Amino acid sequence: MAELAGKSVYVTGGASGIGRAVTEAFIKEGATVTILDRSVERLRELEQQFGEVVRCIAGDVTMYDDHVRAVRMATEIWGKLDVLVANAGVFDGFAKFVDVTPGALADAYEMLFAVNVKGYFYAAKAAVDELKRTNGNMIFTVSGAGFYPDGGGVWYTASKHAQVGLMRQLAFELAPDVRVNAVAPGGTLTALNVIRPLQPFVKLVDSETKASSIRRRNPLRIVMSPEDHVGAYVLLASEKSRAITGEVISSDGGLAVRGLG
Ligand SMILES: NC(=O)c1ccc[n+]([C@@H]2O[C@H](COP(=O)([O-])OP(=O)(O)OC[C@H]3O[C@@H](n4cnc5c(N)ncnc54)[C@H](O)[C@@H]3O)[C@@H](O)[C@H]2O)c1
């Protein structure tokens, strides 16, 4: 029996990486998915691959009206919204605080917080009334960086901590109508972008170096791929987790038990 049969889901950043893997898994479990993403080309590929069960909107998560358009599309086509997955994000490339000039610091702050933090506030705000109608739920993609240092630089780590705070406060305010939870992936092989203002301060690494650094950082020694995380999203979206709210499922190869060695 499909876990998400008949559910209407809104995913931000669903055209690539973790969001794309979640989209595929949700469709396999019987859901229909509306995606907001800025990559027009990859959205087209998704439409070709999945046809009628996926609807795509090209837009920017930092613009509130783009979320409103996406939620409206989901409710017009499928009559309701059951789940929001707030996921679109950008990265700081582990840029070191002391190296970055004050001007670049400010530009990076504005850009990264607009996507990673404001983008989640806006997604939740645009979806909340429809989710109340269906007793639905929200799932935020956070990160190991939402709990521990060394999952990014200060911009990314602070933004991921902010997402965890947003998730917890929303879980409190929206109970008993809407559950709000998060998945915290560890380092995963995706195309996660380093924002432009910080590019001069970071060393871009090839995928082999990235893979070995991911493996070294987690106790299970897994080089994670987006598909490794989808089970946690399916669980949180489904009725099987009806008693879970305000929680984070860490899907990170065991960062919490990492030692000093
Ligand atoms: N890759 C990792 O190691 C890792 C680890 C933990 C958490 N995460 C989180 O997972 C989430 C997804 O990242 P990913 O690794 O799959 O990267 P990705 O780049 O493969 O996917 C991110 C998607 O978001 C879209 N996006 C970015 N900015 C946008 C904007 N302003 N408006 C609309 N769409 C926008 C991109 O076009 C892309 O399709 C992010 O929140 C990221 O912080 C990633």
Side-chain angles (χ1 to χ4, degrees), residues 16-18 37-38 60-61 87 120 141-142 156 160 185-186 188 190:
S16 168
I18 295 167
D37 201 290
R38 65 181 173 191
D60 186 337
V61 293
N87 167 82
Y120 281 32
T141 300
V142 297
Y156 189 71
K160 290 293 170 181
T188 306
T190 68

Side-chain angles (χ1 to χ4, degrees), residues 12-59:
T12 71
S16 168
I18 295 167
R20 190 186 165 109
V22 168
T23 296
E24 289 204 39
F26 278 21
I27 289 170
K28 242 185 235 156
E29 293 295 341
T32 51
V33 182
T34 305
I35 294 172
L36 173 64
D37 201 290
R38 65 181 173 191
S39 168
V40 178
E41 200 181 304
R42 288 196 299 252
L43 286 175
R44 232 174 254 140
E45 281 169 26
L46 268 179
E47 284 172 336
Q48 274 166 6
Q49 186 178 350
F50 293 108
E52 287 289 289
V53 293
V54 74
R55 295 301 159 111
C56 296
I57 296 214

